[in-house]
Amino acid sequence: MDSAAAISLCPSTPGWNLDRPFLTGQFYQETKISSGTTEYKGFSADSSSGADKAIGCYHATIQELIVIDDLLSTLIGIEGRYISIKKVRGKEDDITFQVDASMDLALQEFAKRLFPLCESYILINQFVETRSQFKTGLVNHAFAAALRALLLDYQAMVAQLEHQFRLGKLSIQGLWFYCQPMMGSMQALSMVVKKAAADNCVGSAVLNLLQSQAKAMAGDHVVRSLLEKMSQSASTAYLGILERWVYEGVIDDPYGEFFIAENKSLQKESLTQDYDAKYWQQRYSLKDEIPSFLANAAETILITGKYLNVMRECGHSIQIPVAEKSKLTSAGSNHHYLECIKSAYDFASGELLNLVKNKYDLMGKLQSIKHYLLLDQGDFLVHFMDTAREELMKKPDEISVEKLQSLLDLALRSTAAGADPCHEDLLCCVERTTLLKRLSTLKDLEISRSAPDSNDLEEPLSITGLETFSLNYKVRWPLSLVISRKALTKYQLIFRFLFHCKHVDRQLSGAWQVHQGLRKLDMQGTTVSVSSLLCRNMLKFINSLLHYLTFEVLEPNWHVMLNRLQTAKSIDEVIQYHDFFLDKCLRECVLLSPALLKKVERLKLICLQYAAAMQRLITSSLDTTDNDTLSNDSPSIEKYKNLKLRTPYQMLRLAPENVTVLESVLKFEKEFSFELHSLGPILSSGSRAEPYLTHLAQWILGVGKDQ
């Protein structure tokens, strides 16, 4: 190898012309001593006689030759005859050099100037040997390989210096002249390897160390350039891992060096099973140690690989157009690698979004869920509630879910819902707790932090399937990313609220029909008139509530979400918009306001109690024959077509019963009015922070004012 091979170590020495004249003009290729024996570098041909001599016994010129010979050995980590290398046991980076005390002081000074270079070589060589092991990782392997190539150039330079010395053309001043330019570079590298060894750096930590050290040497262009080249060499293997991640969605990281961690214990199936599933957030996550040159793009890199991984798990062929210029082969100062990452992200994002929207019909699934769980098309529900009423009247533990499922399938096939290809994904389920208690168990919802004590909530004495019935929906990968178990649970909460409101509306409508059939039975009209007025107010309340929920909350928010989904550029934006829609609907449907929800539930309970009591009380006030006519639970006007007008004697006999009915009606009216008016302060106090409460107040607080 010629002298040009060492230019990288001492670029300030033009041409490395070792034949140039030295500063001293004196050099002794061979020296004649009194015995007539020819000696090179100051030692006698009889080495045994010179081995015991102190260097001070020789003439200064002979000492210079001996010191040069020893220094050439020390430069590559080998002890000389009069220069020794000492290492402290257990401290591999603590190296000291000792010289013979009898050495000429000027020569000692020259030798000490070169010791830092000798120490740097030893430390770097030691690092190369230890970091070439498999367990140290790909980055350390690449860094060690780059250092090894550098040391080969360094050793070639020392060999050339030794060759010049053998030719008698190298003095101690010349040795210092040629070694001085490389000292800064070698010392900078030795500082890096010392820190890397002390902190046991691997992967990103090594790259960050090289980057920070290069920035610290901003004033020394030569050293900074060398450290940047070392950083590029060390990052080659790292960028190979990065390439597979952003182009294939695969982490090929045998030593755990990559800044993205994979948690294999989290499976995609958990998205449809676990409310608190963390698959999308934690299956792949960023580590604390990220290469500084990738820090700004770390989130983009993470998301790009996640998108590709989803497509790969769907069996979708990933064909990213990777031109040679787009490969992440270097992290140069032109930041071209950032453009490559951005292009890969745009491709992966668009490809996954098209896959979910087109092949897996995300919008169709959401529309189907809206039909069934948000009661957008309620024709099937009317049919189902008619046929399943008897089963839903049972306690939750006694209900046959299989029977409900068959009745639901029948209702779906018998109505317009049968034309929906997704109707087979609809399932029945029965909860075990009331709506408010279920809400309080969901820790991520606001209600869990402000819900009243469970003992403070007045519930029906006997909870039936009408309060706990819900629908479920089958969702498959990758749509489960958007319609997860958490999202479905929120849909179910809204469905339960709507379903129970529909049930209350049906019961009050039945009671209203009874009143229309019995209006002529009361000659004076007091009881039936008062009860009819109360029934009408209750119907107005529940209808106003349903209108608010449907046309003031669900429909407007749904259309806003659809418009946003049309402009979404990534699956994460789709998830964000969908979750925002559900949370907003939950909040505006008063499901996240425990005090307000408690009042609404109390009002619905009074309505149900009134509807049941009116049928029972009015029925008990009739004759036995008529009671037989009214014995059926279904409050239909058809049951009262055969009722005849009572004679004055019969009406007189029924007067005490009418008084009892009237007292009950007045009691229900008082309770209903009290609970309804108590909503005013709650709605007023919260309307400033929550404007939607103003709309709710406009709809339901006007009930009864036209009496």
Side-chain angles (χ1 to χ4, degrees), residues 126-338:
Q126 186 174 280
F127 181 85
V128 169
E129 291 177 359
T130 57
R131 290 305 187 273
S132 296
Q133 301 174 15
F134 285 109
K135 64 180 181 180
T136 58
L138 297 177
V139 174
N140 272 323
H141 293 172
F143 184 32
L147 290 174
R148 186 182 293 109
L150 190 72
L151 292 183
L152 287 176
D153 287 347
Y154 173 87
Q155 291 166 355
M157 184 209 69
V158 174
Q160 292 177 38
L161 290 174
E162 185 174 5
H163 177 67
Q164 294 298 314
F165 173 65
R166 298 298 178 186
L167 294 177
K169 298 180 180 180
L170 186 66
S171 67
I172 191 71
Q173 293 90 344
L175 181 61
W176 167 248
F177 176 80
Y178 288 116
C179 290
Q180 184 182 7
M182 74 184 75
M183 290 189 69
S185 300
M186 292 291 285
Q187 283 185 297
L189 286 174
S190 68
M191 289 176 61
V192 172
V193 300
K194 282 176 71 174
K195 290 181 180 179
D199 299 336
N200 197 24
C201 294
V202 294
S204 302
V206 176
L207 299 179
N208 286 336
L209 182 59
L210 284 167
Q211 291 277 331
S212 62
Q213 206 61 25
K215 290 179 180 179
M217 303 301 294
D220 191 331
H221 174 72
V222 174
V223 175
R224 178 173 183 174
S225 177
L226 176 63
L227 290 174
E228 287 177 348
K229 289 181 180 179
M230 289 291 108
S231 179
Q232 284 190 17
S233 299
S235 64
T236 301
Y238 199 89
L239 292 174
I241 303 174
L242 178 62
E243 276 188 5
R244 289 211 65 188
W245 175 247
V246 298
Y247 292 148
E248 301 177 37
V250 176
I251 294 182
D252 184 9
D253 183 22
Y255 301 102
E257 300 171 276
F258 198 40
F259 66 88
I260 295 177
E262 180 181 8
N263 187 350
K264 294 184 178 180
S265 65
L266 296 177
Q267 300 297 319
K268 62 179 181 291
E269 290 76 16
S270 65
L271 288 169
T272 59
Q273 301 167 359
D274 185 7
Y275 178 86
D276 294 316
K278 302 296 183 183
Y279 175 86
W280 189 240
Q281 294 80 14
Q282 297 181 7
R283 171 64 188 233
Y284 298 100
S285 57
L286 295 176
K287 296 180 181 177
D288 294 333
E289 194 75 50
I290 301 175
S292 57
F293 64 91
L294 294 174
N296 293 333
E299 195 68 32
T300 303
I301 293 169
L302 172 66
I303 295 173
T304 302
K306 285 170 65 175
Y307 291 170
L308 295 173
N309 185 265
V310 171
M311 289 187 280
R312 192 168 51 83
E313 293 201 15
C314 291
H316 182 68
S317 177
I318 305 171
Q319 204 68 26
I320 294 185
V322 185
E324 187 65 29
K325 64 178 182 179
S326 296
K327 289 185 177 180
L328 300 172
T329 53
S330 66
S333 58
N334 58 1
H335 299 294
H336 179 64
Y337 63 96
L338 295 177

Side-chain angles (χ1 to χ4, degrees), residues 3 10 12-27 161 164 168-171 173-178 180-181:
S3 60
C10 42
S12 61
T13 308
W16 273 77
N17 184 3
L18 296 178
D19 295 326
R20 61 183 293 181
F22 298 121
L23 297 177
T24 68
Q26 297 180 349
F27 186 86
L161 290 174
Q164 294 298 314
K169 298 180 180 180
L170 186 66
S171 67
Q173 293 90 344
L175 181 61
W176 167 248
F177 176 80
Y178 288 116
Q180 184 182 7

Side-chain angles (χ1 to χ4, degrees), residues 46-64:
D46 183 4
S47 60
S48 60
S49 62
D52 298 327
K53 292 182 179 180
I55 193 172
C57 299
Y58 297 102
H59 189 272
T61 55
I62 303 299
Q63 288 189 43
E64 180 179 357

Side-chain angles (χ1 to χ4, degrees), residues 508-646:
L508 290 174
S509 297
W512 177 255
Q513 290 178 350
V514 170
H515 283 85
Q516 297 307 304
L518 295 178
R519 181 176 291 275
K520 294 182 179 180
L521 293 180
D522 189 350
M523 299 298 292
Q524 298 178 349
T526 305
T527 302
V528 175
S529 298
V530 173
S531 183
S532 296
L533 184 59
L534 176 58
C535 186
R536 189 184 68 175
N537 287 336
M538 288 183 172
L539 271 172
K540 184 177 179 182
F541 161 73
I542 199 66
N543 287 330
S544 297
L545 179 60
L546 281 169
H547 187 280
Y548 165 78
L549 295 174
T550 304
F551 298 105
E552 296 286 338
V553 177
L554 298 179
E555 283 296 333
N557 287 321
W558 177 266
H559 288 293
V560 170
M561 180 190 70
L562 282 186
N563 292 334
R564 289 179 173 177
L565 293 184
Q566 296 298 333
T567 60
K569 297 182 179 179
S570 69
I571 196 68
D572 278 302
E573 287 188 7
V574 171
I575 295 172
Q576 177 186 348
Y577 295 149
H578 184 242
D579 289 345
F580 180 80
F581 160 75
L582 287 173
D583 291 339
K584 195 168 188 288
C585 288
L586 282 174
R587 186 171 63 255
E588 295 186 1
C589 285
V590 305
L591 294 178
L592 301 184
S593 303
L596 189 55
L597 180 59
K598 177 186 172 184
K599 288 292 183 182
V600 173
E601 290 295 304
R602 174 62 182 161
L603 282 165
K604 289 196 297 178
L605 179 60
I606 293 173
C607 292
L608 289 174
Q609 290 174 343
Y610 162 79
M614 285 306 96
Q615 181 179 341
R616 184 176 64 253
L617 290 172
I618 294 176
T619 301
S620 65
S621 68
L622 300 176
D623 292 336
T624 304
T625 303
D626 295 331
N627 285 343
D628 293 335
T629 305
L630 296 171
S631 61
N632 195 305
D633 288 340
S634 179
S636 174
I637 193 172
E638 299 296 328
K639 307 288 190 303
Y640 305 96
K641 287 183 177 180
N642 296 325
L643 290 177
K644 299 178 181 180
L645 290 175
R646 299 296 189 266

